[in-house]
Amino acid sequence: MGRILNLSPLIVPMIKHYLIVAAALVLGHSLSAQQTFPVNGPSVKNGKVYAFTHATIHIDHITTLKDATLIIQDDKVLTVAANAAIPANAVITDLAGKHIYPSFIDLYADYGVAKPSRERDQNFSPQLETRKDGPYNWNQSIKPEVNAVELFKANDKAAGDLRKIGFGAVLTHQADGIMRGTGTLVSLGENRDNLIIIDPRASSHVSFQKGSSNQTYPSSLMGSIALLKQTYLDAKWYKTPANRDHVNLSLQSVNDNAMLPQIFEAINKYNILRAAKVGSETGVSYIYKGGGDEYQRIRELKAVSARLIIPIDFPEAYDVTDPYDAQFVGLDDLKHWEWAPANASELEKNGFEFAITTAGLKDKKDFLKNLRKAIKAGLSESAALKALTSTPAAFINNGSKVGALRKGMLANFFISNDDIFEKGNIIENWIQGTPYVYDKLDEKSLEGKYTLKINDVSYPLTITKEGDKLKSIVQLYGTKDGKADTTKADVKIDNTRSLITLSFEPNGAHFNGLVRLSGTIQDNNEWKGKGKLMNGDWVSFVAIPSEKTAAKPDSAKKPTITAKPGAVLYPNMAYGRPELPAAKSMLFKNATVWTNEKEGIVDNADVLIIGGKIARVGKNIPAGTATVVDATGKHLTTGIIDEHSHIAISNGVNEGGQAVSAEVTIEDVVNPDDINIYRQLAGGVTTSQLLHGSANPIGGRSAIIKLKYGYGPEQMKITSADKFIKFALGENVKQSNWGDFNTVRFPQTRMGVEQTMRDAFIRAKEYEASWKTFSAKGGAMPRKDLELETLVEILNGKRFITCHSYVQSEINMLMKVAEEFNFRVNTFTHILEGYKVADKMAKHGAAGSTFGDWWAYKYEVKDAIPYNANLMASQGVLVAINSDDAEMARRLNQEAAKSVKYGGMSEENAWKMVTLNPAKILHLDKNLGSIAVGKDADLVLWNDNPLSIYAKPVKTLIDGAVFFDTEEDLVLRKTMDQERERIIQLMLEAKKSGEVTKKIEPKAKHLYHCDDLELFD
C-alpha cells in the first residue's frame, strides 16, 4: 500500500512553480499558431494564462508601473495594469520586489544565417567576371536577391547566449557583400522556425564591404561606393519596362526591397557620412550601423540626421606598465578607450535616435557589464531601455509586435531581481510566452548584518556577496584560556527559495565542533529553525537582520556617474584641438612679401586679411581691429599647392580591378584624420590635389582639398574647383610588376594602353549620342553610366586630365589621342622625360608637374635629369613641382629650390613652381597662388627665405585661420604629453582593479604611392 506524502507549505509552491515552467516549455504556443501543420494525435489547445503580480513593470522607456500586474495568454500580452483583474484560470506568480522589462531587440545580428566563405581560385588567377549562375548582377558583391528568411536555421546555443542577457528578438541577415539582401526579424525561442519568425522581410542591408566575392572589382573603398551608386542608377533605369533589354533579378530585387528599412553597415564615423552622401545622391534613407566612434563627429552626423545602431564592444585598456612600450600607443587609441563608453551618452545629449547592438562583442556575457559602463558614463536608463526596445522596433516598423509590453504584443519579457541597468540579474526570460529560467524566482537577498541567536547566546553574523557566491562570517564572543574570545569563523550557507541551512565550526567557549542549523526565511527576513551540535544536542536559533541591505528608492539607486573624459579633439588624435580654427582679421607688418604678382618680392610690406580674404597689400596699412603680427625679418608667401598628393585617402589609392575606373572618385574617401595633413601644414602646404593611383590607364577622379586639419571631409574640399581625373601610362598600367598570377586584365602592352583609351572615348561619344537621340526623339531611355558620364565630361572640356607619365613615346601618344578626340591633356605629372618633348607639350597646351631630382626607382625613369623643370619652362611649358609622397610634401619649398641650383632658375620663378603655377594648373589661380587683394588668405609666414634649407613656417593660414603656429605647436605637444599620461594612469588603475588589458603592438601607418594596391573588404 502506497504512502501518502504530506508536502509542507514550503515545498508545494516550489514544485508548483517548476511544474508550471515545465508545462510551459512543452506547450509554449497555442494550436492556432501552428494550424498549417498536421497533428499526429488528439489536438490539444494550450490557452494558458499567466499573471505576474506586484512587480515593477517597465511597459516601455517612458512608462513604469509600480506594484503592477502583467497578464499573458499563450504568446501574447493580454493586459498590463496596476489593478488588473486576474482571470480565474490564471497561474499567478508573485513578483514583489522584482522588475519586468520588455525583452531586448538586436538589429544587427547574423544569428541562424551562415556567412559564405571566400573561395580563392586554386591557380591564384584574378576573377574578372561573376561566377554566379543565373540572371543576376554582373558583380558578385551585389546580391540583393538574398533573403535571410530562406537561409535561416535556428541555433539554440546562440539563441540561449542572447536570451541570458535579456534579448528576445533579433534582426538577422547574411552579412556578406555590398548589397546583402533582406533581413528577417526572429524570436529567440526554441519553437519550429516557422513560429519564431516575426517578420520575414523586415529590412534591406547594405555595406561598403565586398565580402566573399573574389572578383577583382571593387578593390578599394571608392570602388565599392561607385559600384553601389551605379547599382542604384541601374535599378532605377530597370524599373521602366521599356528600358529593359535583358532580365536582371538583382536589379529587380533592389526595387522590390526599396520600401524596406535600409540598414547600412558603416563601421566608422566617416563611412556613415559617406553612406549619407550616397543616400542623398540616390534618394535612399539609411539607418547606420556605426563603430562606436560617433562622438568624434557629432556635428557632421547631426547635419545628415543620422539614425544609428551602435555597438558597445568597448576597447580593452593597453598594458602600459612599460613606459617605453607605452610610447607606441597613439593618442587616438588612448582617447577612444576613455571615450567609447560615453559614446551613447553623447548621442543621447544631442538628440540622436539610436539602437544598441551586441555586434562586435567577443563574449556576449560582457553585454550587461558594458551597458552599465555606458550608463555610468552618462547614458540615462530610459535612453538605454529605449535603445534596446522601442527604437529598434520602430526602426524596422515592428513596434506593434515587439519593443514594449502592451495588449496584443508578443509576450517577450524578462524578470530581474533588481534594476537591470544597475545590478539586477535576469531570473527568467519569456519568449513568445515560453519561459527560460536562469535563477530562483523567489530567492531572498541575504546580504547584510544579522544577530544570530542560538539558545539565547547572540553572535554578529555578516553576509556579503562576491560574484554569484555568498561569503559569511560569524564573530564569536566568550572566553578561551581565560581571555576574551574574538575568533571569527567562516560559515557555509545554502539557500533554496525560503529554505536556509548554515554550518560553522567555532571551537569556542560555548560550542565545540560543528554547528549545523536549518530553518526558513520569514516574510520579515528573519530566519528561524533548529540545529544540532556535535554532541547531539538540539538547539533553536533565530537570525535577526540588524543592518539589512534594504531596497533603496529608485532615486537613490542610480549608478555613480564616472568622471567626464577629456575633451574631444578635432581630430581626436595627435595635434587635435578642442575647438576648430576660425578666421580672424590679421595684419602682417614689415614682412618680405613674395606676391607672385607683377610687384614681385616686396620688402617691408604689410598684408591685411579680413574675413578669410586678402584685403590690402602695401605699406603702412592701419590695423584697425585686426590682430597685428610683427613680421620684421620674416618672409610672407602664399601657401604651397601640391598638384600630386596621396595623403588623406581612406582604404585604397587605386581602383585597379578594371582598366577604366572613371566612375570612382577620391572625393568619396577623403580622410581628415591623416596626421600628414598637420605635418604638411608645418611645411607650408595649404592645398593638395589628392590623386588616384596609376594602376589603370584611366583611373579615378581627384579631390582638391585645403588642409583644414580638424574639419570634416566636406569642409576640406574646394567645391568650386574644376574637376580633374587621373590617367596613367607606363609600367604600372600594363601590370609589369604585378606578378605572373595578376596578368589577366587588359591591357598588358603599351599598344593596349592606347587602345584602351581610344575605345573608352569612342564608347563615350556613342553614349553621348544616345542621350541626345533620346532627348530629341524619346523612346527607351539609355542607362546612365557613371564611367561614361565622366569621359563625356572630358570630351566636353568639363573635366581635366592629370596623366602619370615618364617615357616620351607615350607622352606623344596621349597628346595625339587627345587631339584626335578634340580635347587637351591638362597636365603630365612625373613627366621625367618632359625635357625631350617640351616643345610638343607647349604646342599642345599641356602643363608639366614633376619632381626636383627624384628618380632611379624603376627602369622607366632612367633618363631623368635634374634640369627637367628648367628645360620644360624654357620651352613655355607651365611647370610645377609636386610631391607624390607624404614625406616629400613637407619640404616642397626645398624641392623648388633645386631648380635654382640646377639650371639657374630665378628664385621668384622657382617659388612659383610650388604656388602660382600649380594654382594655374588646377585652375585655382583666381583665388589662390599669389598675394593679391580679393584672393583667399592662404598664407605662410617663414622665418627665412622660403627657398632656404633653414626656412621653417612660423604660421600657416588657410582662409584667414591659423592651422599651424610654431608657438601653439609647442603648447600642443605639451598638452598631448599631459593628456597621454593622464589616460595612461587611468589604464594602469584599470589593470590594478582587475580589468583585462591587451599587449601593445606597434602599428605602422602605410603611406600611399601611385602604385599601391590593396584589397578593401
Side-chain angles (χ1 to χ4, degrees):
M1 191 172 173
R3 272 193 310 156
I4 299 175
L5 295 178
N6 182 17
L7 298 177
S8 73
L10 175 67
I11 301 301
V12 169
M14 179 170 66
I15 294 176
K16 177 181 178 183
H17 174 74
Y18 285 105
L19 284 174
I20 290 168
V21 170
L25 288 170
V26 175
L27 301 172
H29 51 82
S30 66
L31 180 64
S32 60
Q34 53 175 329
Q35 59 189 2
T36 58
F37 295 92
V39 177
N40 182 22
S43 297
V44 179
K45 186 174 181 179
N46 182 3
K48 286 285 187 182
V49 179
Y50 298 90
F52 303 88
T53 62
H54 303 301
T56 297
I57 303 178
H58 305 265
I59 294 175
D60 54 28
H61 68 283
I62 297 173
T63 307
T64 297
L65 301 179
K66 300 293 182 74
D67 194 19
T69 298
L70 166 67
I71 303 174
I72 68 169
Q73 181 173 19
D74 295 327
D75 62 346
K76 298 291 194 303
V77 174
L78 282 184
T79 187
V80 184
N83 298 298
I86 301 174
N89 64 333
V91 176
I92 301 173
T93 302
D94 186 348
L95 293 182
K98 307 296 190 297
H99 291 247
I100 297 178
Y101 295 87
S103 294
F104 300 152
I105 305 164
D106 193 337
L107 287 189
Y108 208 83
D110 57 2
Y111 164 66
V113 179
K115 186 176 180 179
S117 59
R118 174 175 285 168
E119 296 181 4
R120 296 292 189 187
D121 191 294
Q122 291 184 352
N123 298 319
F124 299 100
S125 177
Q127 179 189 333
L128 299 180
E129 298 178 355
T130 182
R131 291 177 182 169
K132 181 174 180 176
D133 294 331
Y136 297 106
N137 195 270
W138 72 274
N139 194 285
Q140 283 181 237
S141 65
I142 301 295
K143 39 189 175 183
E145 65 275 4
V146 171
N147 293 305
V149 68
E150 297 170 8
L151 305 174
F152 178 73
K153 182 176 178 60
N155 180 326
D156 189 54
K157 183 183 182 306
D161 290 342
L162 290 164
R163 290 193 296 258
K164 287 177 185 177
I165 56 175
F167 285 85
V170 298
L171 180 68
T172 185
H173 75 287
Q174 188 178 74
D176 182 64
I178 293 173
M179 280 192 166
R180 300 172 166 184
T182 62
T184 183
L185 180 64
V186 301
S187 189
L188 292 172
E190 295 179 275
N191 293 330
R192 186 191 296 271
D193 289 352
N194 308 69
L195 301 176
I196 61 177
I197 292 172
I198 301 170
D199 188 344
R201 294 180 74 253
S203 55
S204 177
H205 292 260
V206 191
S207 80
F208 288 142
Q209 285 71 51
K210 68 188 288 187
S212 62
S213 171
N214 282 324
Q215 283 183 260
T216 55
Y217 186 91
S219 62
S220 65
L221 174 57
M222 58 182 159
S224 294
I225 295 172
L227 178 57
L228 183 58
K229 290 179 186 177
Q230 185 64 65
T231 303
Y232 281 128
L233 289 172
D234 289 349
K236 185 177 180 180
W237 169 83
Y238 191 80
K239 258 185 183 179
T240 304
N243 296 336
R244 304 175 195 164
D245 57 1
H246 65 286
V247 172
N248 191 315
L249 297 183
S250 298
L251 297 182
Q252 183 62 52
S253 294
V254 174
N255 294 327
D256 292 343
N257 301 341
M259 298 307 293
L260 297 174
Q262 305 289 311
I263 296 180
F264 199 109
E265 183 187 23
I267 297 178
N268 61 52
K269 56 190 181 293
Y270 291 129
N271 276 0
I272 294 175
L273 296 175
R274 291 166 184 140
K277 192 166 180 286
V278 171
S280 176
E281 293 175 7
T282 57
V284 181
S285 177
Y286 293 118
I287 299 162
Y288 307 96
K289 190 269 179 179
D293 59 357
E294 291 76 21
Y295 65 90
Q296 297 178 21
R297 289 291 175 183
I298 288 289
R299 282 174 286 200
E300 288 88 341
L301 294 177
K302 285 184 77 171
V304 298
S305 303
R307 295 177 297 162
L308 301 165
I309 302 168
I310 60 168
I312 52 172
D313 57 329
F314 306 140
E316 295 173 344
Y318 286 97
D319 184 351
V320 289
T321 307
D322 187 319
Y324 289 99
D325 286 347
Q327 294 179 96
F328 291 105
V329 184
L331 181 60
D332 53 344
D333 288 333
L334 291 173
K335 289 190 71 65
H336 182 57
W337 171 78
E338 184 184 29
W339 259 98
N343 184 53
S345 172
E346 286 299 296
L347 295 176
E348 179 189 359
K349 289 176 190 174
N350 285 277
F352 284 84
E353 287 290 315
F354 63 93
I356 291 175
T357 176
T358 63
L361 286 172
K362 295 178 183 176
D363 189 339
K364 301 299 185 192
K365 293 176 184 176
D366 291 335
F367 175 77
L368 287 175
K369 178 187 72 175
N370 284 7
L371 182 62
R372 289 164 184 166
K373 188 181 286 188
I375 289 168
K376 287 182 180 179
L379 177 67
S380 71
E381 291 189 9
S382 62
L385 183 59
K386 182 182 180 185
L388 287 162
T389 54
S390 58
T391 294
F395 275 178
I396 57 171
N397 303 322
N398 272 275
S400 63
K401 298 176 182 177
V402 289
L405 295 172
R406 297 189 183 91
K407 183 177 181 179
M409 298 181 73
L410 286 180
N412 282 14
F413 62 92
F414 65 82
I415 302 165
S416 65
N417 63 353
D418 206 331
D419 184 341
I420 195 63
F421 299 114
E422 183 182 358
K423 63 177 182 179
N425 295 316
I426 295 174
I427 300 170
E428 296 179 359
N429 194 353
W430 289 63
I431 310 297
Q432 289 181 281
T434 298
Y436 297 86
V437 180
Y438 305 112
D439 209 342
K440 301 162 187 175
L441 188 59
D442 57 352
E443 179 184 359
K444 305 289 186 180
S445 175
L446 301 181
E447 300 103 301
K449 294 184 178 180
Y450 298 79
T451 298
L452 176 62
K453 203 171 192 179
I454 304 175
N455 279 358
D456 299 324
V457 180
S458 299
Y459 304 92
L461 173 67
T462 302
I463 300 178
T464 57
K465 195 166 188 179
E466 295 182 357
D468 295 330
K469 296 182 179 179
L470 292 173
K471 182 177 182 181
S472 310
I473 296 176
V474 65
Q475 179 79 51
L476 304 175
Y477 294 96
T479 58
K480 185 176 182 182
D481 299 330
K483 297 180 181 179
D485 182 7
T486 57
T487 306
K488 291 181 179 179
D490 290 333
V491 180
K492 293 182 180 178
I493 190 165
D494 185 37
N495 165 231
T496 304
R497 297 174 64 81
S498 295
L499 290 174
I500 187 162
T501 61
L502 55 160
S503 60
F504 60 95
E505 193 166 358
N507 292 323
H510 295 283
F511 306 112
N512 289 311
L514 189 66
V515 177
R516 295 175 293 146
L517 307 174
S518 179
T520 60
I521 303 173
Q522 311 299 305
D523 289 340
N524 61 359
N525 285 327
E526 289 185 0
W527 313 348
K528 288 184 178 180
K530 292 184 177 293
K532 208 168 190 182
L533 305 182
M534 191 172 180
N535 61 9
D537 292 345
W538 284 93
V539 294
S540 297
F541 83 94
V542 62
I544 302 170
S546 56
E547 194 177 309
K548 186 67 177 170
T549 305
K552 298 177 182 178
D554 284 350
S555 60
K557 289 172 62 178
K558 302 304 178 187
T560 304
I561 304 298
T562 56
K564 185 175 176 62
V568 173
L569 305 178
Y570 299 97
N572 201 44
M573 55 183 287
Y575 299 99
R577 303 172 175 94
E579 298 294 335
L580 292 170
K584 58 182 179 180
S585 298
M586 300 176 69
L587 176 65
F588 292 90
K589 293 286 292 183
N590 301 322
T592 298
V593 179
W594 296 53
T595 67
N596 283 349
E597 296 285 339
K598 62 182 180 180
E599 293 81 6
I601 301 172
V602 183
D603 294 329
N604 300 317
D606 302 345
V607 176
L608 176 66
I609 61 173
I610 298 175
K613 298 287 184 180
I614 298 170
R616 291 187 63 183
V617 181
K619 297 190 177 184
N620 302 317
I621 298 173
T625 59
T627 300
V628 177
V629 178
D630 184 1
T632 304
K634 298 179 176 64
H635 294 247
L636 186 69
T637 72
T638 186
I640 291 173
I641 300 172
D642 191 354
E643 186 275 338
H644 186 153
S645 177
H646 297 302
I647 67 166
I649 295 174
S650 294
N651 300 110
V653 70
N654 272 299
E655 180 44 66
Q658 298 181 146
V660 179
S661 57
E663 71 281 359
V664 310
T665 174
I666 299 291
E667 286 190 348
D668 285 338
V669 290
V670 172
N671 173 22
D673 290 357
D674 189 345
I675 190 63
N676 289 294
I677 297 172
Y678 185 80
R679 290 172 178 165
Q680 292 183 16
L681 285 164
V685 182
T686 56
T687 299
S688 296
Q689 178 175 217
L690 310 184
L691 283 170
H692 185 278
S694 56
N696 33 17
I698 299 179
R701 295 169 271 165
S702 69
I704 302 176
I705 66 168
K706 291 194 176 187
L707 304 189
K708 294 183 176 181
Y709 193 60
Y711 280 76
E714 295 305 313
Q715 290 73 40
M716 296 178 75
K717 298 173 189 175
I718 304 177
T719 55
S720 61
D722 280 352
K723 304 303 181 182
F724 287 76
I725 187 172
K726 176 75 172 289
F727 277 36
L729 306 168
E731 295 178 9
N732 296 350
V733 297
K734 66 186 186 69
Q735 308 152 85
S736 298
N737 303 309
W738 288 25
D740 292 339
F741 65 91
N742 265 324
T743 54
V744 173
R745 196 202 72 189
F746 183 90
Q748 296 179 27
T749 64
R750 296 179 188 271
M751 295 180 293
V753 173
E754 178 181 359
Q755 186 59 48
T756 297
M757 292 177 174
R758 288 182 181 279
D759 175 71
F761 285 117
I762 290 170
R763 289 187 293 113
K765 290 176 73 71
E766 293 172 347
Y767 174 78
E768 184 180 30
S770 69
W771 276 100
K772 288 179 178 178
T773 300
F774 172 73
S775 297
K777 299 181 180 179
M781 183 176 71
R783 166 185 168 270
K784 187 172 183 179
D785 188 309
L786 293 177
E787 174 192 301
L788 296 177
E789 289 276 328
T790 303
L791 297 178
V792 168
E793 289 177 346
I794 296 171
L795 292 172
N796 293 331
K798 295 181 180 179
R799 186 171 295 276
F800 304 92
I801 295 170
T802 292
C803 185
H804 164 111
S805 54
Y806 291 103
V807 179
Q808 63 172 327
S809 59
E810 293 185 294
I811 298 167
N812 276 325
M813 176 272 290
L814 183 56
M815 287 191 290
K816 290 178 181 178
V817 170
E819 290 167 3
E820 178 183 334
F821 287 91
N822 200 30
F823 68 87
R824 295 295 180 268
V825 178
N826 189 86
T827 316
F828 285 101
T829 190
H830 301 320
I831 193 71
L832 293 183
E833 289 190 18
Y835 66 92
K836 297 181 180 180
V837 290
D839 55 340
K840 295 178 181 178
M841 289 173 60
K843 182 178 179 182
H844 179 81
S849 186
T850 189
F851 301 129
D853 60 355
W854 196 19
W855 48 71
Y857 46 89
K858 58 181 174 178
Y859 184 79
E860 63 185 353
V861 300
K862 67 184 179 67
D863 283 352
I865 60 174
Y867 305 95
N868 185 43
N870 277 287
L871 291 173
M872 286 194 293
S874 69
Q875 296 298 311
V877 175
L878 185 62
V879 180
I881 301 293
N882 66 66
S883 74
D884 190 20
D885 176 75
E887 190 277 329
M888 185 187 289
R890 300 164 65 184
R891 49 183 171 81
L892 275 174
N893 60 317
Q894 296 178 25
E895 295 300 305
K898 291 174 180 178
S899 289
V900 178
K901 176 180 179 180
Y902 298 109
M905 185 179 287
S906 72
E907 289 189 0
E908 198 171 352
N909 285 338
W911 184 246
K912 286 179 181 178
M913 289 199 300
V914 290
T915 53
L916 182 59
N917 290 3
K920 290 179 177 179
I921 289 172
L922 296 175
H923 310 172
L924 296 172
D925 53 305
K926 180 180 179 182
N927 295 310
L928 301 177
S930 66
I931 297 179
V933 174
K935 287 198 173 186
D936 294 352
D938 293 4
L939 302 173
V940 183
L941 184 65
W942 302 82
N943 67 341
D944 204 335
N945 183 314
L947 295 175
S948 168
I949 61 170
Y950 302 107
K952 296 179 181 179
V954 177
K955 293 181 188 291
T956 303
L957 288 75
I958 299 176
D959 293 332
V962 178
F963 281 86
F964 174 80
D965 181 281
T966 51
E967 293 181 1
E968 184 198 27
D969 181 72
L970 295 176
V971 174
L972 287 174
R973 293 185 189 199
K974 185 176 181 180
T975 302
M976 285 191 302
D977 286 343
Q978 292 172 343
E979 184 72 346
R980 285 179 59 84
E981 192 56 37
R982 182 186 67 80
I983 301 173
I984 283 172
Q985 291 302 315
L986 294 176
M987 285 189 172
L988 290 171
E989 290 175 17
K991 181 181 180 182
K992 188 176 179 180
S993 67
E995 283 193 26
V996 176
T997 58
K998 58 185 175 183
K999 182 181 177 182
I1000 296 171
E1001 296 181 358
K1003 294 183 293 186
K1005 179 176 174 58
H1006 181 73
L1007 302 178
Y1008 287 129
H1009 291 93
C1010 273
D1011 54 353
D1012 283 332
L1013 290 170
E1014 67 178 21
L1015 181 64
F1016 171 72
D1017 62 354

